[in-house]
Amino acid sequence: MDPVTRERATQDRTAEPLTEYVQRISRRIRGFDRRHPLLWDLHLTGFWVLAALIDHLGGGWRTITRNPDTPGWLLLTLSLGFTLPLLLRRTHPTAVLLALTPVALVDAWTGAALQAALLQLLVVFHIALRRPPRTLWWATALIIIPIAVMAARHPRGSADEDIVPVLMSIVVAAAIGITVRTRRAHTEALEDRARRLEIERDQQARLAAAAERARIAREMHDIIGHNLSVITGLADGGRYAAAKSPDRAAEALHAISTTSRQALTEIRRLLDVLRDEDRPPPPDLTPQPTLTDLDHLLEGVRSAGLPVRTTLRGTPTLPAGRQLTVYRVIQESLTNTLKHAGPGATSHIELSYEEQGAVTVTVTDTGRGGELNGSPGRGLPGMRERTALYGGTLEAGPLAPPARGWRVHLHLPEESPQ
């Protein structure tokens, strides 16, 4: 490393801690100011009072005065008049400037020209910081009037030499106040935006969690509800067959065992989604049956004692998501038939495939359809939620008299073009 680069690196290392130190001190001062504003104002006001008194008692005012014969008591009064009102400079800056104006007029009329008059610029800074910008116009006038009086009564060179420097000082003080005000407003806007983004992030997380819980609840309901209904039907059939046909009873027990294992496998695959998030998920854990699994579903329902007929029109060309919706609607409809239709009921499924992914499904049964209306649960809401994902419609209700039974009608429209 050459000497110039080494020197610059050393300067950077030494400058950075100093910058951090200054920022840390600044944060501490601002924090103290926020916690104890009155105590801070008392300290600063006391400092300016002390500085004005030192200027008066030490005779420093004589270096710029235009009337060395100004009485001492008047100088003391003017010094206190310029400094004591500063205690309220932050809460009532316009009132403080109005209070300083008579003091400044007396100072200009007598020619004392105390340096404490420059403290009016501190009030201008606070006006620019906390009041509407138009306030600066009359504040400038209140400061210039005493200067004009002094230039007229106690001239020293041209009037420009008295007024122009004061005007420039007012502009600088106002510019600093406006800059600090803009920076504060920008910081507050950023903090407010950060808070709103944090709230929105929490809301999105809660919505996502709620949607995931609803999805898992639908899947659990479809898996457990259907398989338990099939198992119940098989168990009832096996109980009746046990006395007369042991072979049929053994077949029912075997079907119960197979259905139970299948349900447990699907539940395990579904619950694997909820495991520790730190572990990477293996692919395709969530059970996603398709229409190719429909025959297996119907076999299980038939083995549970529910005769099912199917009518198919068209060629199935549905994407996986729509196939899952059709499968779950048929599964839930058959499950409700098993649970509520009663003995001797039959079911009929009509599947009509149309172009561009449109499909119509009608599931009817011949059971006690009216009783399902009073059965609460997640089945029908779950079917409607699945249907709404694809902009479809779902109708469910008892058949019109004199017919008996229940009807579920699903229609998924054509896929929207990408």
Side-chain angles (χ1 to χ4, degrees):
M1 182 183 296
D2 59 278
V4 176
T5 305
R6 186 180 299 108
E7 182 179 357
R8 289 179 179 176
T10 304
Q11 290 176 353
D12 292 340
R13 287 195 300 269
T14 56
E16 184 64 24
L18 179 60
T19 303
E20 294 179 357
Y21 177 77
V22 171
Q23 291 178 351
R24 185 168 60 254
I25 295 299
S26 177
R27 286 194 297 269
R28 289 181 179 178
I29 293 175
R30 289 196 300 268
F32 180 83
D33 186 18
R34 286 192 297 268
R35 293 190 301 270
H36 311 285
L38 179 59
L39 185 61
W40 181 254
D41 288 340
L42 286 172
H43 275 79
L44 285 183
T45 303
F47 170 79
W48 293 118
V49 170
L50 181 61
L53 292 179
I54 291 175
D55 181 60
H56 161 53
L57 298 176
W61 62 278
R62 296 181 180 276
T63 59
I64 62 171
T65 186
R66 302 189 183 184
N67 182 12
D69 299 328
T70 305
W73 64 269
L74 182 58
L75 293 174
L76 177 61
T77 303
L78 293 175
S79 298
L80 296 178
F82 277 124
T83 54
L84 290 179
L86 296 178
L87 182 63
L88 304 177
R89 73 193 183 283
R90 293 200 292 184
T91 56
H92 302 85
T94 53
V96 170
L97 186 60
L98 289 173
L100 294 181
T101 300
V103 181
L105 285 172
V106 173
D107 178 65
W109 186 266
T110 59
L114 292 179
Q115 298 183 75
L118 295 175
L119 294 176
Q120 294 178 98
L121 299 176
L122 182 61
V123 182
V124 171
F125 165 80
H126 285 283
I127 290 176
L129 183 63
R130 294 178 170 84
R131 292 295 182 264
R134 63 177 180 272
T135 311
L136 291 172
W137 293 108
W138 63 260
T140 302
L142 290 179
I143 297 176
I144 290 299
I145 290 174
I147 299 299
V149 170
M150 183 178 295
R153 279 188 53 84
H154 306 280
R156 179 183 290 176
S158 64
D160 294 344
E161 296 179 3
D162 291 323
I163 296 177
V164 172
V166 176
L167 282 175
M168 294 179 61
S169 301
I170 293 174
V171 170
V172 171
I176 296 174
I178 293 173
T179 301
V180 175
R181 180 176 186 166
T182 304
R183 186 170 181 267
R184 285 185 181 178
H186 179 66
T187 303
E188 291 173 359
L190 291 178
E191 292 175 351
D192 180 68
R193 183 171 181 269
R195 284 193 296 269
R196 287 189 284 107
L197 288 176
E198 184 176 357
I199 294 173
E200 183 178 353
R201 180 201 62 192
D202 295 340
Q203 291 176 343
Q204 291 293 336
R206 287 194 293 268
L207 290 175
E212 185 65 14
R213 286 196 298 269
R215 186 188 70 84
I216 294 174
R218 286 197 304 267
E219 295 291 339
M220 293 289 288
H221 174 272
D222 292 340
I223 295 171
I224 297 175
H226 172 74
N227 287 286
L228 286 181
S229 297
V230 172
I231 290 172
T232 301
L234 291 170
D236 290 339
R239 183 182 62 184
Y240 289 118
K244 299 181 180 180
S245 178
D247 293 338
R248 295 291 301 275
E251 292 177 0
L253 291 174
H254 178 71
I256 290 174
S257 175
T258 302
T259 305
S260 301
R261 288 191 180 94
Q262 178 184 355
L264 286 174
T265 300
E266 292 184 358
I267 290 174
R268 288 193 188 102
R269 293 172 62 191
L270 178 62
L271 294 180
D272 278 344
V273 180
L274 304 179
R275 74 196 181 290
D276 188 1
E277 295 180 355
D278 295 335
R279 296 164 53 189
D284 196 22
L285 289 179
T286 306
Q288 297 291 333
T290 62
L291 293 179
T292 58
D293 302 309
L294 194 57
D295 291 338
H296 181 72
L297 172 69
L298 297 180
E299 288 176 6
V301 173
R302 290 182 181 121
S303 65
L306 176 64
V308 182
R309 294 185 300 113
T310 60
T311 301
L312 178 63
R313 300 184 183 90
T315 304
T317 57
L318 299 178
R322 288 175 173 246
Q323 290 190 43
L324 176 62
T325 298
V326 172
Y327 181 92
R328 291 304 190 195
V329 168
I330 294 175
Q331 182 186 52
E332 179 62 25
S333 301
L334 296 177
T335 301
N336 288 336
T337 301
L338 284 171
K339 292 167 60 178
H340 304 286
T346 61
S347 182
H348 182 210
I349 302 173
E350 296 183 27
L351 269 167
S352 178
Y353 299 103
E354 304 170 17
E355 296 180 355
Q356 298 182 355
V359 62
T360 301
V361 182
T362 303
V363 183
T364 56
D365 63 53
T366 59
R368 301 189 297 267
E371 296 183 4
L372 185 56
N373 242 355
S375 177
R378 294 181 176 269
L380 290 179
M383 287 193 290
R384 290 193 172 94
E385 289 173 2
R386 292 182 184 277
T387 303
L389 290 176
Y390 298 97
T393 57
L394 181 77
E395 301 173 0
L399 295 173
R404 289 172 57 87
W406 190 266
R407 174 179 178 270
V408 176
H409 180 76
L410 165 71
H411 176 70
L412 298 181
E414 297 179 358
E415 293 185 83
S416 58
Q418 299 296 327

